[in-house]
Amino acid sequence: WVNLTVSLVRKAKGLPDYFVAVVEDITQLKLAEQALRQSEERYRHVVEAQTDLICRFDANLNLTFINQPHSLLFDKSPEEMIGINILDGIPLEYHASVMTHLASLNATKQVSTNENPLLMADGTQRWFQWTNRIIVDEAGRTIEYQNVGRDITERRQAEEGQHHGHGVGGE
């Protein structure tokens, strides 16, 4: 691969005289671009093939990325979800605990886990365990958050049953 730049040199009266050509070898740049495209495609396939929910959101809690499994819960495309505040899908009584949890993340404590429910498109509520990661700049300021959520509704229901005497051996 080459980048070819050609310039026309004119005589004093503006008539064409000769061309100057510069040929630059850009093979390594093209190979690097191809490798980056392949890497991005592999990453996209890994993220989209997950059954876990994956999302990213900015410091204002507005979604910047959401994978297909996550968007299906809300019956919208990933593109329709971009810009939506994450609290919109969380029952109001859990907003404060989610905010407190996210506020606990910083440059020294970048990863933690919490649990909270989400409101599904059909109006039901399902519980998720979230692995939260804060992404910070060189100065330690929040750039973005990345969350991976796993549906734990069945586990939570089993725990609730045990707490109310309906678990194994409690009936």
Side-chain angles (χ1 to χ4, degrees):
W1 287 93
V2 296
N3 183 25
L4 174 64
T5 305
V6 180
S7 300
L8 173 62
V9 177
R10 297 181 179 273
K11 295 179 184 178
K13 295 183 178 182
L15 298 172
D17 192 11
Y18 59 91
F19 291 98
V20 174
V22 176
V23 179
E24 177 185 13
D25 181 352
I26 59 168
T27 304
Q28 292 304 315
L29 176 63
K30 287 293 188 181
L31 292 174
E33 287 174 351
Q34 180 181 4
L36 179 60
R37 271 193 308 277
Q38 289 172 340
S39 175
E40 288 173 344
E41 190 171 317
R42 279 193 302 272
Y43 168 78
R44 191 170 34 259
H45 288 303
V46 166
V47 169
E48 293 303 331
Q50 293 296 313
T51 56
D52 290 343
L53 310 185
I54 301 173
C55 69
R56 290 181 87 142
F57 49 92
D58 61 23
N60 295 320
L61 309 184
N62 296 318
L63 290 167
T64 59
F65 171 83
I66 188 167
N67 71 341
Q68 189 73 26
H70 198 157
S71 70
L72 289 174
L73 292 177
F74 297 98
D75 200 24
K76 294 183 179 182
S77 71
E79 295 77 22
E80 291 175 296
M81 298 291 295
I82 301 303
I84 292 176
N85 191 287
I86 65 160
L87 295 176
D88 290 352
I90 298 171
L92 184 60
E93 62 267 27
Y94 296 95
H95 285 197
S97 66
V98 169
M99 294 296 294
T100 300
H101 179 76
L102 292 174
S104 75
L105 298 173
N106 55 49
T108 54
K109 181 187 174 193
Q110 295 185 352
V111 179
S112 69
T113 303
N114 75 317
E115 296 177 1
N116 64 268
L118 288 180
L119 298 169
M120 304 295 101
D122 65 4
T124 61
Q125 183 172 289
R126 296 195 66 79
W127 277 88
F128 290 85
Q129 179 182 61
W130 298 98
T131 300
N132 310 289
R133 175 179 297 275
I134 192 170
I135 299 163
V136 296
D137 64 14
E138 304 80 33
R141 292 182 300 255
T142 303
I143 297 173
E144 208 170 32
Y145 296 90
Q146 177 175 293
N147 287 14
V148 177
R150 177 160 292 162
D151 191 332
I152 59 166
T153 304
E154 290 179 14
R155 187 198 86 199
R156 292 287 295 223
Q157 289 170 341
E159 289 172 356
E160 286 293 315
Q162 287 177 351
H163 292 315
H164 293 97
H166 302 298
V168 175
E171 296 184 348

